Amino acid sequence: MRLRFLGSNSEQGTCPAVYETDRGTIAVQGKVVTDPTALGDAVNLASDEVIVEIPKDLLPYFPQG
């Protein structure tokens, strides 16, 4: 898989960030959620998945459609 950087709200252009993949999907870079209570709220979280927290001000970097 290849990533194409779409944007970040960091002045350094690092975490958190949004990417588009060559698979036609979106990838996010952020802080991994480790709080057991929050993870308990996740729906059908598979063993190879993680919940990543990003700020709402990154939403404009997500492509529409």
Side-chain angles (χ1 to χ4, degrees):
M1 173 174 39
R2 298 300 307 259
L3 300 175
R4 183 173 70 89
F5 179 76
L6 296 178
S8 172
N9 67 348
S10 168
E11 291 182 19
Q12 293 81 26
T14 57
C15 184
V18 178
Y19 302 86
E20 184 174 26
T21 75
D22 61 354
R23 299 178 185 183
T25 59
I26 301 299
V28 296
Q29 176 182 346
K31 300 289 185 181
V32 174
V33 175
T34 59
D35 181 281
T37 302
L39 293 174
D41 294 333
V43 178
N44 299 324
L45 187 64
S47 62
D48 62 343
E49 297 175 332
V50 297
I51 301 292
V52 178
E53 184 177 20
I54 62 168
K56 287 184 177 181
D57 62 354
L58 279 184
L59 294 178
Y61 295 108
F62 283 75
Q64 301 300 309

